[in-house]
Amino acid sequence: MNIIMLGAPGAGKGTISGKLNEKYGLPHISTGDIFRNNISKGTELGKLAKSYIDSGALVPDEVVINMMIDKLSSDECKNGYILDGFPRTIAQAEGLDEALLKSNSKIDFAIVVDADDDKIVERLSGRRVCSKCGETYHIVSLKPQKEGVCDKCGAELIQRKDDTEAVIKDRLNTYHEQTYPLIDYYTKKGIVHTVNGFDDLNVTLKNIEEFIK
Ligand code: AMP
């Protein structure tokens, strides 16, 4: 089963993907995480991606498409996957479709995680992430037991550089201009199901499970 998660940054795609990964055992592939990993390791890909990410812009399509085609043909993805953050443009969706066609595969479900921009700004600007394991927290609604320290692994919590208010607004603009049209693209394929990114997580998961059944 191949699933893609669509929705604005901060809508909740990552959290829901993590839960779907636990439920279905499919790998959760987050392009943002792949880039951040490469940045922290100082790879060529990381060096290339950094300036785009820091400014809230998208990494160029050809870079992302090639990276993801490689990833999806790896052993890890042979039984399916949950794509979180890819595709993000029509060109990426078309590139993905082309590659899937060649391998006689397809996207089965596109889950749209809907959320209002103002709520997203509040959520993302208060978000803190573990510098080691990536676990996420919020300064008001999801505090760690000890301030600034990850409950899971004890590492330091940090604010992502692109989670500052000015960059969040740029990321939302990028989303509305370049990614939002994908909802129509996948609606025409008849595989879209929409959930609310601010609903109770367990209710949302039940809702998605019912749809997938
Ligand atoms: P995310 O963690 O999904 O919010 O992604 C963080 C940043 O990584 C984005 O703001 C983009 O700069 C970059 N990025 C992630 N996925 C893509 C993609 N599919 N295409 C282009 N850039 C991406």
Side-chain angles (χ1 to χ4, degrees), residues 31-32 35-36 53 57-59 64 85-86 88 92 160 171:
T31 40
F35 288 130
R36 281 183 290 277
I53 294 183
L58 293 182
V59 177
V64 188
F86 177 83
R88 248 173 158 109
Q92 290 179 18
R160 268 171 54 174
R171 289 163 70 197

Side-chain angles (χ1 to χ4, degrees), residues 24 32-33 45 50 59 66 89 100 102 115 130 138 150 170 173 175 198 203:
Y24 297 105
D33 284 348
L45 177 65
K50 190 173 185 320
V59 177
N66 289 333
T89 64
L100 290 173
K102 280 188 198 150
C130 174
H138 189 276
C150 178
D170 288 339
N173 284 338
Y175 169 76
F198 281 83
V203 172

Side-chain angles (χ1 to χ4, degrees), residues 101-118:
L101 200 66
K102 280 188 198 150
S103 58
N104 221 354
S105 177
K106 65 176 173 41
I107 298 298
D108 300 296
F109 305 108
I111 309 294
V112 175
V113 187
D114 194 27
D116 290 342
D117 283 8
D118 49 351

